[in-house]
Amino acid sequence: MTHHAPSHDDHVLTTAEGRAAYLTLNRPKALNALSHPMVLRIEQALTAWAADPAVGMVVIRGAGDRGLCAGGDIRAIHEDARTGGTATSDFWRDEYRLNALIARYPKPYVALMDGIVMGGGVGVSAHGSVRIVTERSEVAMPETGIGFVPDVGGTHLLSLAPGELGTHLALTGAPVGAADALLCGLADHFVPAAALPALAAELAVEPVHAVLERHVAQPPAGELASARAWIDHCYAAGTAEEIVTRLLSCGVPDAKAAAQTLLSKSPTAVKVTLASLRRARRLGPLERVLEQEYRVSCAALSSPDLVEGIRAQVIDKDRTPRWSPATLEEVLPADVDRYFAPQGADGLRLGAALSSQEVVW
């Protein structure tokens, strides 16, 4: 029997079939972008299912055929940042709490990361215990392009990627396909997109491992494995300026292209992102990193680059942001340190990090 619970404009559909409960992000025209009510609805459903002995696992997927989720509602963030409101910091507080809940979920959490999975979409999928990508997957944390910094636990995930691959993806915002998502630890399994409907249906009657055995395949070749030498060398530099110098001088065309991409991003966001990743490596559990990301995100709300970046990329679409400061050299250490300043009572507190709960297969 299927139970359908109406939600905020039905932007999150919740159904239960057999042993599986399904979350479907249902804003296909907006590439399933997350709103605050959607985040609260997902949390409500997950909390109920965690306590329901009839639910053996949770499956999250996106409506339509373009992707799981393109991230948060950027236009709403722009309006809030422009007018100095608090709606966005309230949204992030609940969104990051949801990211932590997913990472510690006591039942298998199966994320179908088909098509576009960016920003907040990574947050509701890549912290899950079973993360499936397809030949259509494009996984990215593209925040530096709008004057923002990877969040939703993205700096935690990318700081754990092999070598300096995470630094490359975070600073350039480059999307990765299935093989590279697997290499970077953003996904666990490759399944052809055509097999996803059958896989999702079979999860209602069989355990995850049995269903995966039938459908997991070898992904098409990726690009990052063969680029490890120049990526690891260039991005290990001490500063963003030195990273650019190494990329431009190492003689590899892809490295030069990466430098040009990086130089098109917000210089402040690039430097804060680099600092965020390196601090994340030392912070340990996801909860501590999410707390840091909340400080950084709230600081970015009052930065001119976030409003300008969204204007250029999303509102006016002229693709010519005027960053302030305009160059990496002009972004001073004190400018970066401001993003990490303690927030006092306004900060996010996720409590003591739990050890990962045993997932029952």
Side-chain angles (χ1 to χ4, degrees):
M1 179 182 171
T2 299
H3 308 281
H4 178 240
S7 63
H8 177 78
D9 295 333
D10 275 352
H11 285 168
V12 178
L13 305 179
T14 59
T15 54
E17 295 268 4
R19 302 177 69 254
Y22 299 86
L23 284 166
T24 305
L25 305 183
N26 188 38
R27 293 181 72 195
K29 288 181 180 168
L31 257 168
N32 301 319
L34 292 171
S35 64
H36 198 165
M38 289 170 72
V39 163
L40 295 174
R41 178 74 191 103
I42 295 167
E43 182 187 22
Q44 178 190 19
L46 290 179
T47 302
W49 289 333
D52 185 347
V55 174
M57 77 193 74
V58 172
V59 182
I60 187 167
R61 58 195 175 184
D65 56 7
R66 292 171 60 209
L68 172 67
C69 174
D73 192 330
I74 299 292
R75 287 174 182 271
I77 292 171
H78 179 265
E79 184 59 25
D80 207 40
R82 214 173 50 75
T83 57
T86 63
T88 299
S89 54
D90 294 343
F91 166 61
W92 284 330
R93 183 184 296 274
D94 288 326
E95 185 181 25
Y96 301 176
R97 283 177 52 239
L98 174 63
N99 302 145
L101 172 64
I102 290 167
R104 305 291 176 200
Y105 204 62
K107 299 176 181 183
Y109 182 97
V110 183
L112 305 185
M113 300 170 69
D114 186 32
I116 290 173
V117 185
M118 295 186 179
V122 172
V124 295
S125 60
H127 299 299
S129 51
V130 183
R131 306 163 303 170
I132 295 169
V133 282
T134 76
E135 71 279 6
R136 306 191 303 191
S137 295
E138 286 181 62
V139 185
M141 295 300 293
E143 286 76 10
T144 56
I146 56 164
F148 193 48
V149 175
D151 66 333
V152 299
T155 61
H156 175 75
L157 293 164
L158 293 174
S159 75
L160 297 174
E164 296 293 336
L165 292 178
T167 315
H168 170 62
L169 298 183
L171 298 190
T172 62
V176 293
D180 290 333
L182 294 167
L183 173 64
C184 292
L186 299 172
D188 304 301
H189 305 286
F190 172 79
V191 172
L196 287 187
L199 177 144
E202 289 162 20
L203 288 172
V205 291
E206 286 185 90
V208 177
H209 64 85
V211 176
L212 286 174
E213 277 173 15
R214 280 199 296 278
H215 294 292
V216 168
Q218 278 296 111
E223 300 169 12
L224 292 181
S226 60
R228 278 290 299 278
W230 66 262
I231 287 176
D232 288 356
H233 168 70
C234 296
Y235 288 97
T239 65
E241 292 91 331
E242 175 63 20
I243 288 171
V244 171
T245 300
R246 289 188 186 186
L247 288 168
L248 290 173
S249 61
C250 77
V252 178
D254 284 350
K256 185 177 181 183
Q260 288 163 341
T261 298
L262 195 160
L263 289 170
S264 72
K265 309 300 181 185
S266 155
T268 301
V270 164
K271 285 201 167 179
V272 174
T273 296
L274 184 61
S276 294
L277 281 173
R278 292 186 170 168
R279 287 169 178 243
R281 283 177 180 165
R282 302 193 297 269
L283 281 173
L286 171 65
E287 286 82 357
R288 298 291 84 79
V289 180
L290 285 165
E291 290 167 358
Q292 171 176 278
E293 289 179 349
Y294 189 73
R295 288 197 293 278
V296 169
S297 297
C298 289
L301 266 183
S302 58
S303 139
D305 278 5
L306 180 58
V307 172
E308 173 60 10
I310 298 174
R311 180 206 64 76
Q313 304 296 349
V314 181
I315 310 292
D316 298 339
K317 293 189 169 68
D318 59 32
R319 307 281 191 264
T320 52
R322 295 180 289 278
W323 304 123
S324 175
T327 66
L328 289 170
E329 290 74 16
E330 291 172 89
V331 182
L332 304 176
D335 300 328
V336 174
D337 289 344
R338 178 181 81 82
Y339 283 76
F340 298 92
Q343 290 172 292
D346 292 333
L348 177 65
R349 297 278 181 279
L350 288 169
L354 309 163
S355 60
S356 250
Q357 292 173 13
E358 230 10 75
V359 172
V360 180
W361 300 100

